Amino acid sequence: MDLSPRPSDQPDESGAVSSSSSRPKRRWLPIVVLSLLGVGGIVIVTQFLTSAIDYYCNVDEIGVREGCETTSRLRVQGTVEQNSLKKTETKTRFVMTFNEKSIEVVYSGDPGGVFQECIAVVAHGRVVDGVFESNRIEVKHSNEYVEKNTERFETSGSAACSQAQG
Amino acid sequence: MSRLINSKSATGTQATRVLGLLAIVVMLWVVVSGLVFTPQDVVQGESVRIMYVHVPSAWIAYLAFILTAVASASWLIGKKHSMGFDRFAGASAEVGVMFMAITLLTGSLWGRLTWGEFWQWDPRLTTTAFLFVTYLGYLAVRRLDGSAEQRARRSAIMALLAVLEIPLVHFSVVIWRSLHQGATVLNPSGDVKLDDLMLFTLFSGVVGFTLVFFWLVLHRQRTMLLVDVVNSRGLDAAIADRRAEAGN
């Protein structure tokens, strides 16, 4: 007795073409999905992961570390120095420090969000005449979570500075 | 099997009902504590509350994928190749993918509020996206044509490879410089810098999400069992038809 699957277009003993309704019709779908996922994965790894590894240079590495050359566009990480923040209508100026090295940053616009003094940020931009001209600022939150304390906040002038001072 | 398939509440038992009730109670506490009782963060303000969903969902996704790998290994190693292991692996991966999607969504919302960006291709976010895509691929492999045993073998091998990505995701913030902050609770120093009620609510979230996870997995694997039973019956009927044809 032959129990192997019968081709759908082959007539059976009665001469009728067997119905294929019980067979899965979308065999190509998993293959297409798998191919798309594979291509997506390769694109992520080759295009984005390489640029993502070591997301930034620290302030003290500008012009020193490989990949942190002043001639190219950089992502630079440091802490916004206390009492250095100055905002005008179109520009935000502050000093960013890391490991006792500082650089002046000029950002076109207002970073908004939780940006403030004493907070770690990653600035995207270029070094021009010793000043870091940035067009994107990302706030880099620490792994500390502290209850908001209004009194401590008011004496330090900035929530992040109050956190830094403990 | 026939008792199961004929039952009105085929995927539910007394145990899953108790589990579901417990999950509801704990999740209600997490919602109330997370939105009302816990304080604002000194820097993030109200957006810190996203953490009570984001972190537990990430951990439960890890747990789901690890359980998928354990069940897959059990299927491969076991002499009987019990399909129960395969169904558990599949159900756990499905629920894990759901929790991973919640992680990515809530993380993206938090990122917009804190970093100023919904998404950045930094090491943590990129490896997490890659993990998510990998398990979508795992679910696609489970739907390829073939027998139940072929499905189990293919997906078990893939699950054992995919689980290797989890350490890469978790330690990406240690290995590389990342915009994403380092681990607060599971950090190598063991110094947890999180206020007490925030920490308690976070752990409540982990307990609640764990209960939800097991409730979903138990129901899903029973649904898979019912599908396998139906498919098996279909095969039995086809064989009976052929035998009848051969007998004519």
Side-chain angles (χ1 to χ4, degrees):
Chain A
M1 179 171 41
D2 179 20
L3 288 175
S4 60
R6 185 189 296 142
S8 59
D9 55 349
Q10 185 179 318
D12 60 17
E13 287 168 6
S14 64
V17 175
S18 63
S19 167
S20 62
S21 60
S22 61
R23 293 183 60 197
K25 290 179 179 175
R26 294 184 297 175
R27 286 185 171 184
W28 51 269
L29 189 61
I31 294 163
V32 170
V33 171
L34 264 181
S35 306
L36 287 174
L37 290 174
V39 171
I42 290 166
V43 168
I44 287 172
V45 170
T46 57
Q47 298 298 311
F48 304 119
L49 195 59
T50 47
S51 70
I53 294 173
D54 279 350
Y55 188 72
Y56 52 77
C57 300
N58 290 319
V59 173
D60 61 331
E61 293 169 339
I62 297 174
V64 177
R65 187 175 182 239
E66 190 181 349
C68 305
E69 292 81 11
T70 53
T71 50
S72 55
R73 186 176 164 80
L74 300 173
R75 296 170 183 154
V76 179
Q77 191 255 173
T79 303
V80 180
E81 210 166 277
Q82 194 167 9
N83 301 322
S84 72
L85 184 60
K86 293 179 182 69
K87 289 184 181 178
T88 63
E89 279 186 14
T90 56
K91 304 266 186 198
T92 301
R93 291 175 180 273
F94 60 93
V95 175
M96 192 161 64
T97 305
F98 188 86
N99 212 9
E100 297 180 352
K101 294 275 184 184
S102 300
I103 190 166
E104 188 183 352
V105 181
V106 180
Y107 174 70
S108 310
D110 182 354
V114 297
F115 176 84
Q116 56 194 276
E117 290 181 344
C118 301
I119 205 162
V121 295
V122 175
H124 299 230
R126 287 178 181 277
V127 179
V128 179
D129 298 331
V131 175
F132 195 75
E133 292 186 354
S134 173
N135 61 357
R136 183 191 283 183
I137 302 279
E138 290 156 354
V139 174
K140 188 177 183 298
H141 192 268
S142 74
N143 61 350
E144 291 181 36
Y145 297 83
V146 181
E147 179 182 353
K148 191 172 184 177
N149 183 322
T150 313
E151 288 174 18
R152 199 169 54 179
F153 179 10
E154 284 171 353
T155 54
S156 63
S158 149
C161 292
S162 75
Q163 191 179 14
Q165 289 162 8
Chain B
M1 277 188 181
S2 60
R3 187 174 59 83
L4 183 67
I5 205 164
N6 292 329
S7 168
K8 283 182 180 175
S9 57
T11 64
T13 63
Q14 191 64 30
T16 55
R17 277 188 280 276
V18 171
L19 192 64
L21 198 65
L22 264 175
I24 289 170
V25 171
V26 177
M27 289 309 292
L28 277 175
W29 157 252
V30 173
V31 170
V32 172
S33 182
L35 292 177
V36 182
F37 297 152
T38 54
Q40 292 181 38
D41 177 71
V42 68
V43 175
Q44 297 175 61
E46 299 284 3
S47 66
V48 71
R49 303 183 197 287
I50 294 174
M51 172 179 69
Y52 307 123
V53 177
H54 177 72
V55 175
S57 59
W59 289 359
I60 300 307
Y62 289 170
L63 172 73
F65 299 150
I66 290 168
L67 289 178
T68 296
V70 170
S72 299
S74 302
W75 185 88
L76 281 171
I77 295 165
K79 286 181 181 173
K80 290 183 179 175
H81 291 306
S82 167
M83 294 311 292
F85 286 129
D86 173 63
R87 284 190 287 268
F88 185 87
S92 184
E94 282 185 13
V95 180
V97 164
M98 184 196 76
F99 277 110
M100 196 89 268
I102 293 171
T103 304
L104 289 169
L105 186 67
T106 51
S108 182
L109 294 173
W110 183 88
R112 179 68 185 86
L113 295 168
T114 306
W115 302 329
E117 303 279 348
F118 282 110
W119 187 267
Q120 272 301 320
W121 293 102
D122 92 321
R124 171 58 70 82
L125 274 65
T126 307
T127 51
T128 305
F130 194 65
L131 183 69
F132 180 66
V133 169
T134 301
Y135 277 91
L136 284 179
Y138 169 86
L139 296 181
V141 165
R142 291 189 66 84
R143 291 183 177 276
L144 289 173
D145 278 351
S147 67
E149 186 159 325
Q150 283 174 321
R151 174 192 74 191
R153 188 175 302 279
R154 288 174 191 148
S155 56
I157 292 166
M158 186 166 177
L160 291 175
L161 292 173
V163 77
L164 300 176
E165 287 178 34
I166 291 177
L168 190 72
V169 175
H170 185 72
F171 292 108
S172 58
V173 291
V174 179
I175 300 167
W176 298 298
R177 293 175 182 178
S178 176
L179 185 61
H180 193 286
Q181 67 266 45
T184 301
V185 180
L186 301 175
N187 68 73
S189 70
D191 182 17
V192 181
K193 292 167 180 169
L194 193 66
D195 273 9
D196 291 345
L197 186 57
M198 289 179 174
L199 185 62
F200 183 68
T201 307
L202 182 64
F203 273 114
S204 302
V206 172
V207 172
F209 276 55
T210 305
L211 293 170
V212 171
F213 165 76
F214 280 110
W215 186 87
L216 287 170
V217 167
L218 287 174
H219 280 279
R220 180 64 186 127
Q221 70 163 356
R222 285 175 187 157
T223 311
M224 288 174 161
L225 171 62
L226 294 176
V227 171
D228 283 352
V229 168
V230 169
N231 288 341
S232 170
R233 284 188 172 186
L235 182 64
D236 289 344
I239 291 170
D241 286 349
R242 292 289 183 92
R243 280 183 174 150
E245 284 175 17
N248 285 338

